[in-house]
Amino acid sequence: MKFAYYPGCSLEGSSLEFNESVLAVAKTLGIELVELPDWNCCGASSAHHVDKFLSIALPARNMAIAGELGLDMAVACAACFSREKHARHELRADPELKSRVEEIIGKKLNLDHQVRHMLDVVVRELGIERVREKVARPLKGLKVACYYGCYLVRPPAVMEFDDPENPRIMDDLMRALGADVRDWSSKIDCCGGSLVLYRIDIAEKLVGGIVKDARESGADAIVCACPLCQSNLDIRQRPGEGEERMPVFFFTELMGLAMGLPDVRSWLKKHITSPLKYLESVGLVS
Amino acid sequence: MTVRIKNTDYQVDAAFAREIGKMCNAHAERCYQCMMCTAGCPVSYAMDLKPHQVVRFAQMGLKDLVLNCSTIWLCASCETCATRCPNEIEIVRVMDALRETAIREGIEVPEKAARAFHDSFLKVIRGRGRISELGLMTRLKWATGEMFSLSGRALADMWLGWRMFVRGKLKFFPKKTEDRQVIERMFERLDKETPPPGKGAG
Ligand code: SF4
Ligand code: SF4
């Protein structure tokens, strides 16, 4: 099993523990990830805020490179995944746009190749059974709320990912790792991550609601599949009187923990809200 | 023709309505004002026009109202509205088309920090092909005149920046895309179609 891997900018910087854990977990599971040569930024929310053509041309170049390798693309960042899927959707629907984009990027696009998110690769392509086989230390006692946010699931016709109101793919994965997965109602709410650098007040309000809801569900931690959500929840939460800060994990970090991979501690040390004390308290790290 | 909303008359611009309709192909004419979009919108509390109003006013061609509203800049593109709209109206595409038009027409942006953020972000991509988070933050602080600010927020940002730096998360020289000519071509095309970020850039 081989994919053209697109890490995206956050995974080279503010969320490098996500990148490290994706690569380590993929290696353990026998998923070969070939980093896209000379990839570029997908344009994130800024390109489509300013110009539709740019918001399609930037991700299109990455898809063209994956096409040259003859591979489907595997994306770790949910926000990049969303931009690549949006571009693919528009390009498939509009051959004239496709040829204008090909002209500007100087490459041919082969849109038969898929764009997949790492969660999808692990759970649906590899299969949850194969993950279960690798679990060395089940995550007993770890009470988690799985947070999907916006990008993975909406709009469903573009993302083709999971039930947009009640996605379960990450819940299933966490259960296979032995975690105690809580049901809750904020799993697809927006955390305001895209607003964080200009309307932090809105982002903090939305983060507050999500963390509060996770607490009320009985969860001790949140699990994410998006670097923007993870940093936003990790950094912007404001615990109330007598409340501890809530750890926010990447799903791949918990996979690494359950598989007993050696580098877990170094990933977790990079969080702003350290999860180590909590993991010690439930006996999952010593 | 004009329409009166809350004691103010607004000009109806049918050509503008058609243009937006063509740009986004979102089928705003199907809207029956059920307000599902606004009810589920996480940011509607902070918007001057609510999402269902933007959809209807854009479709009516109330150009002044929809190009000057804060809504198009505060929308988080979370797609909750469009996912739940019973008429499958692509509301976020409407917002995108309005924002793009507001930029092209050089409209003064009510949410200046939002415009400054997007401009800074795109400048970093143009220069490197990828985002450098440190580069982005520095540019943004310049653009908003907060470079040497010592407000509580600025100090909190610096402290956070430091904590990220010691964790290896803020790099001075992150990798660039080698083929920056192709990136430049994309932006040159954009330059031709968009006036330089003047008024709104903060
Ligand atoms: S949900 Fe759709 S139909 Fe209802 S008000 Fe909003 S745009 Fe109109
Ligand atoms: S996409 Fe924008 S308008 Fe729609 S629900 Fe989200 S924030 Fe509100």
Side-chain angles (χ1 to χ4, degrees):
Chain A
M1 191 177 303
K2 192 168 168 182
F3 288 89
Y5 176 56
Y6 181 67
C9 307
S10 313
L11 275 77
E12 301 238 295
S14 56
S15 301
L16 61 140
E17 67 271 38
F18 191 20
N19 198 30
E20 290 168 1
S21 57
V22 166
L23 295 174
V25 162
K27 194 164 166 221
T28 311
L29 292 170
I31 304 168
E32 193 181 339
L33 298 178
V34 185
E35 184 170 328
L36 266 191
D38 204 37
W39 55 267
N40 57 265
C41 173
C42 69
S45 63
S46 293
H48 85 93
H49 265 73
V50 169
D51 181 67
K52 183 173 166 183
F53 185 85
L54 183 66
S55 79
I56 294 171
L58 284 165
R61 180 172 173 273
N62 295 322
M63 283 189 270
I65 297 173
E68 286 172 350
L69 298 179
L71 295 172
D72 288 351
M73 198 196 287
V75 188
C77 168
C80 302
F81 174 61
S82 157
R83 290 331 307 171
E84 296 287 338
K85 289 284 278 188
H86 270 278
R88 186 169 181 273
H89 186 79
E90 299 276 349
L91 289 162
R92 281 170 75 96
D94 187 346
E96 192 263 335
L97 174 70
K98 180 169 171 256
S99 56
R100 276 195 295 142
V101 167
E102 285 176 334
E103 196 186 309
I104 213 151
I105 64 177
K107 288 182 192 300
K108 286 276 168 218
L109 278 158
N110 177 352
L111 297 171
D112 293 336
H113 290 292
Q114 300 283 328
V115 174
R116 316 271 303 256
H117 185 265
M118 279 310 295
L119 254 181
D120 178 37
V121 168
V122 166
V123 175
R124 301 208 188 97
E125 189 65 29
L126 185 77
I128 219 143
E129 276 316 311
R130 294 279 305 281
V131 177
R132 205 173 273 134
E133 285 163 16
K134 295 277 181 199
V135 173
R137 291 199 304 169
L139 304 179
K140 276 218 173 52
L142 191 75
K143 291 183 239 160
V144 295
C146 295
Y147 177 67
Y148 298 78
C150 314
Y151 294 130
L152 285 176
V153 290
R154 288 191 297 268
V158 175
M159 302 315 295
E160 308 164 294
F161 189 75
D162 204 346
D163 181 335
E165 297 290 349
N166 186 19
R168 283 173 288 256
I169 180 171
M170 206 181 339
D171 296 54
D172 293 343
L173 177 63
M174 288 301 129
R175 230 172 261 124
L177 303 179
D180 175 356
V181 178
R182 296 298 164 135
D183 212 2
W184 64 318
S185 57
S186 290
K187 51 163 60 166
I188 52 141
D189 288 358
C190 174
C191 73
S194 64
L195 304 172
V196 80
L197 287 177
Y198 50 96
R199 280 297 298 264
I200 194 169
D201 58 317
I202 296 177
E204 282 179 350
K205 179 176 144 65
L206 299 182
V207 166
I210 291 163
V211 173
K212 178 166 171 278
D213 207 20
R215 257 187 239 285
E216 280 170 7
S217 77
D220 292 327
I222 295 174
V223 195
C224 290
C226 173
L228 303 186
C229 300
Q230 196 277 345
S231 347
N232 197 26
L233 293 171
D234 183 28
I235 296 170
R236 308 290 167 195
Q237 55 176 294
R238 297 255 175 283
E241 279 276 302
E243 282 173 349
E244 294 282 333
R245 290 182 73 87
M246 184 174 271
V248 186
F249 295 102
F250 289 108
F251 71 98
T252 42
E253 294 176 324
L254 291 182
M255 290 178 78
L257 183 64
M259 293 170 176
L261 301 188
D263 296 330
V264 174
R265 196 175 259 277
S266 84
W267 307 331
L268 299 179
K269 273 191 177 156
K270 297 193 174 81
H271 291 211
I272 296 292
T273 301
S274 171
L276 289 168
K277 214 170 93 194
Y278 166 63
L279 290 177
E280 278 162 20
S281 76
V282 290
L284 287 169
V285 297
S286 45
Chain B
M1 197 176 88
T2 57
V3 289
R4 173 162 284 230
I5 299 165
K6 288 194 182 153
N7 295 324
T8 309
D9 290 320
Y10 294 96
Q11 199 65 42
V12 171
D13 183 338
F16 169 78
R18 269 197 303 278
E19 183 54 32
I20 294 296
K22 222 169 64 202
M23 273 173 84
C24 62
N25 195 24
H27 299 290
E29 72 285 353
R30 295 182 196 149
C31 174
Y32 49 42
Q33 292 288 291
C34 68
M35 298 194 210
M36 180 80 110
C37 48
T38 297
C41 172
V43 193
S44 68
Y45 78 96
M47 296 167 165
D48 49 9
L49 292 182
K50 306 302 172 196
H52 72 281
Q53 294 176 306
V54 171
V55 171
R56 175 50 48 93
F57 295 163
Q59 183 222 353
M60 287 167 76
L62 304 184
K63 183 174 172 180
D64 267 359
L65 260 177
V66 290
L67 290 190
N68 287 291
C69 66
S70 71
T71 309
I72 54 177
W73 294 98
L74 293 182
C75 167
S77 311
C78 75
E79 298 271 1
T80 309
C81 52
T83 301
R84 292 179 182 166
C85 170
N87 293 313
E88 300 184 351
I89 296 165
E90 300 215 36
I91 302 159
V92 186
R93 302 290 87 72
V94 179
M95 303 276 182
D96 283 348
L98 293 173
R99 215 183 303 105
E100 203 171 315
T101 308
I103 292 172
R104 272 181 203 186
E105 303 215 344
I107 301 258
E108 181 147 6
V109 176
E111 292 287 327
K112 292 207 169 26
R115 179 73 201 273
F117 169 75
H118 296 305
D119 286 339
S120 304
F121 198 96
L122 293 180
K123 278 195 192 117
V124 177
I125 300 183
R126 185 174 192 159
R128 322 177 49 90
R130 299 184 189 176
I131 284 299
S132 137
E133 284 150 327
L134 199 59
L136 173 62
M137 302 214 196
T138 317
R139 252 185 198 285
L140 194 58
K141 295 260 167 198
W142 270 116
T144 52
E146 281 179 17
M147 194 65 186
F148 303 105
S149 158
L150 288 175
S151 67
R153 176 59 76 191
L155 290 174
D157 283 355
M158 268 200 265
W159 171 231
L160 175 64
W162 172 250
R163 297 214 290 165
M164 291 178 64
F165 181 74
V166 295
R167 285 166 174 76
K169 294 181 163 206
L170 285 181
K171 298 202 172 79
F172 280 108
F173 304 107
K175 270 185 246 152
K176 298 179 184 181
T177 304
E178 295 288 326
D179 186 0
R180 278 197 302 291
Q181 270 172 342
V182 60
I183 308 288
E184 186 56 29
R185 276 207 297 280
M186 295 180 197
F187 280 94
E188 273 166 9
R189 181 204 147 274
L190 183 60
D191 284 346
K192 272 187 232 138
E193 304 200 358
T194 317
K199 294 180 195 166

